[in-house]
Each structure stands twice: as C-alpha cells, then as structure tokens.
Amino acid sequence: MKFTLTQLRYVVAVARYGSVTMAAQALNVSQPSISVAIDHVEDALGQKIFVRQRGVALTSFGRRAVAKARQVLGEADELAALGSRDADVGGELVLGCFEDLAPYFAPALMRAFAERCPAVTVVIGDETFETLGRRLADSAVDLGLTYDLGLPGHFKRVLLHELRPHALLPAGHVLADKHAVSLAELAQHPLITTDQPHSWQHMLDLFLSRGLSPIARATTSSFELQRSMVANGFGVAVSYTRPHGDRSYDGLPLVVKPLSDPLPMQRIILTHDTRQRLSKAAVAFIEVAKAWFAGHDVFTA
C-alpha cells in the first residue's frame, strides 16, 4: 500500500474528533504528524478527505474513505486478536450516546462488554440527537445509544427497552398528592423542557395529540437542569428518563407521577447506518447490550 495502518488510524481519529488538535491529544502524537499523515493519504488517494474549517469536516469522498479505513483497521485488529487466548474479537469500538442516557447506561454496558470482549478498546462520547446522526453517517461513530427520535429511515434500530413517560412535579405541588396526572392537568402549569429540538418537539406533540397547548415556561440545556428547575418550583415537566433517587442536583425532592393518558412508549435503541459495515466488535456489543437490558430494571426506582 501507499500508506500505512498508522496513517489510516490518524485519519480516522481526526474524523472521530473533528479536530487535528484533539486527535493528536487523544493519540499522544504531535499535530504535524497527524497533518503529514492526512496529506500523505489524500495524495495517495488523489482526493481530499477533509475540508479545513473550524476544525475539519469530511468531504463526501472522505465519508466513503473513512468508512473503508475503519473497515480495514477493524479487520487488521481482528487479525491481531487471533493470537490472543482471551478473546476472538479485537479492535476499537466507538459508541456515541445521547447525552441524557449516557450516564445511566454507558459505563455499565462498557463494563459488561469488557468482560465479554476484553481485547476491544471502547471509545465513548456524549452526543446530541443532531450530532449523533451526523457522526454515524460520517463513520465517526460505530453505534449510537439513544432514544428513537430524529433518525433517518436507513438507520437500523435495535430495540433495547421501552419507557412510559411520567410527570415531574415540585414537592408541595397541587398535583403532587394525585395517584396519576393527566396532560390536561399539566397543561395548566408552566412547562419546563430541554432545548434538544427533537426532544422538545416530541414533548410538545404529546400535548398536541390531546388537543392541548401547554404553557411554555423555559427551556434548559440539560436534563439535570430541567429537574432542578422543577424541584425549585419554576414549573412541571414530562420525562422518560428517571434516575435512581428522586432528588435534583441541589438536593431538593421531586415528585414523580405516572401519566393517566394512553401515550405511546419511547424506545431506547442501538442504531447504526446500514450503509456502513458493522465490525465484529459492534455486533458483539449489540448482543451484550440486549442481554444487559433484558436482565435489569430500567428507570423503575
């Protein structure tokens, strides 16, 4: 070949991190080494892989090149793992996790997967709905752990768990003593949502499906900030995610009530772009994740 596996690893790392600087830091090599590798691979292939903007972005050719490079590197790692007595699956797995789900599931899944496939290096990253879809399409991420929202039709969805929505209320709220609350009752109080477009629209659609127009009070940048806003009395919220322990980060109690409306379940899924070939490590991770979710209660505390 006109380039080395190391040079391909540098190119894939830049695609993953979207930055030469961040890739160099992650690989513990110099930025010039990364830049030289990119230039060498681009010269060998005769086309540009990256466009230099704020950081770097993949060209359309670059998406195909990085996808193939990841495939080549995965097969090379699998070849190297043949000599291991501990595992027959090796290489690297990049898992992108929707940021609200990552703290609750990613570490436990990584631990279970390490027991099954110790020769695989797992790289994990928090993602928004928008960045996760883009990075899966760019082959910067192998698998996405997320809710089934905002994904293209050609993405494969592997169901892990289904969740019912529930209401979040501050302690002492007028609805706090009810066994269950309705969306119509919640719509009479200020609603706190997160600023994730797909999440915000999904919550709004729940109310619209019942002919309701909620009072929008505020949007927050994170799920935990949303919970703290509710706990401090700024409004109510609807959520699928429920951490263990119904208290906000600042220690205030939250009241969690089921919704009485017959609403659709939300799905926690693993997803990947069907235009990209799954590595053996990714296939193994899917099986581990399915088994883990089947053996654990999720958001039932």
Side-chain angles (χ1 to χ4, degrees):
M1 291 192 300
K2 297 181 180 179
F3 40 78
T4 67
L5 292 178
T6 296
Q7 289 170 332
L8 288 184
R9 291 189 193 280
Y10 289 178
V11 168
V12 168
V14 172
R16 180 193 311 141
Y17 293 104
S19 163
V20 172
T21 300
M22 293 179 64
Q25 291 173 348
L27 296 174
N28 197 27
V29 298
S30 68
Q31 291 187 46
S33 296
I34 300 282
S35 298
V36 168
I38 292 173
D39 291 340
H40 189 92
V41 175
E42 287 180 336
D43 288 344
L45 295 177
Q47 295 193 53
K48 289 293 183 182
I49 298 174
F50 297 105
V51 176
R52 275 69 170 179
Q53 301 173 336
R54 289 182 177 179
V56 295
L58 286 167
T59 65
S60 58
F61 171 78
R63 294 188 187 94
R64 300 196 304 273
V66 168
K68 181 59 68 175
R70 288 180 59 81
Q71 180 180 337
V72 169
L73 291 171
E75 291 175 348
D77 289 334
E78 289 168 11
L79 175 61
L82 289 178
S84 171
R85 295 176 297 175
D86 299 322
D88 60 358
V89 179
E92 180 183 83
L93 174 73
V94 183
L95 178 67
C97 298
F98 174 54
E99 55 193 357
D100 285 358
L101 293 177
Y104 307 109
F105 302 121
L109 291 175
M110 290 174 65
R111 185 174 67 248
F113 185 64
E115 294 172 358
R116 166 83 174 271
C117 301
V120 178
T121 300
V122 179
V123 178
I124 186 171
D126 290 349
E127 304 286 350
T128 66
F129 287 123
E130 288 72 24
T131 61
L132 180 58
R134 183 176 67 251
R135 286 167 59 74
L136 283 163
D138 285 350
S139 297
V141 168
D142 296 302
L143 293 171
L145 177 68
T146 184
Y147 289 125
D148 191 3
L149 292 174
L151 295 171
H154 62 272
F155 275 33
K156 172 74 174 179
R157 294 156 171 82
V158 178
L159 177 63
L160 299 176
H161 193 72
E162 290 185 308
L163 299 171
R164 296 187 184 279
H166 55 264
L168 293 178
L169 308 168
H173 193 273
V174 65
L175 300 175
D177 291 332
K178 296 178 67 68
H179 172 70
V181 299
S182 68
L183 289 179
E185 291 172 314
L186 290 178
Q188 303 305 310
H189 302 274
L191 184 70
I192 309 296
T193 64
T194 60
D195 61 6
Q196 290 274 355
H198 292 294
S199 178
W200 179 88
Q201 187 62 51
H202 177 74
M203 293 304 174
L204 178 61
D205 287 344
L206 292 181
F207 286 91
L208 294 178
S209 71
R210 316 299 291 178
L212 303 168
S213 298
I215 304 169
R217 175 61 181 267
T219 59
T220 65
S221 59
S222 69
F223 171 60
E224 288 299 342
L225 180 55
Q226 178 192 43
R227 295 175 80 243
S228 290
M229 291 284 286
V230 171
N232 279 275
F234 289 98
V236 301
V238 175
S239 177
Y240 292 95
T241 307
R242 184 180 181 183
H244 290 278
D246 293 322
R247 286 187 176 272
S248 61
Y249 267 13
D250 55 356
L252 295 180
L254 284 158
V255 178
V256 180
K257 295 293 180 178
L259 292 171
S260 58
D261 304 79
L263 297 171
M265 305 277 276
Q266 182 54 274
R267 293 150 47 98
I268 299 176
I269 61 171
L270 279 174
T271 185
H272 63 91
D273 191 333
T274 56
R275 298 172 300 184
Q276 318 295 350
R277 173 184 174 271
L278 277 183
S279 65
K280 288 184 179 180
V283 172
F285 188 90
I286 290 172
E287 295 307 311
V288 168
K290 289 164 62 177
W292 188 92
F293 272 87
H296 290 77
D297 292 330
V298 176
F299 294 152
T300 57

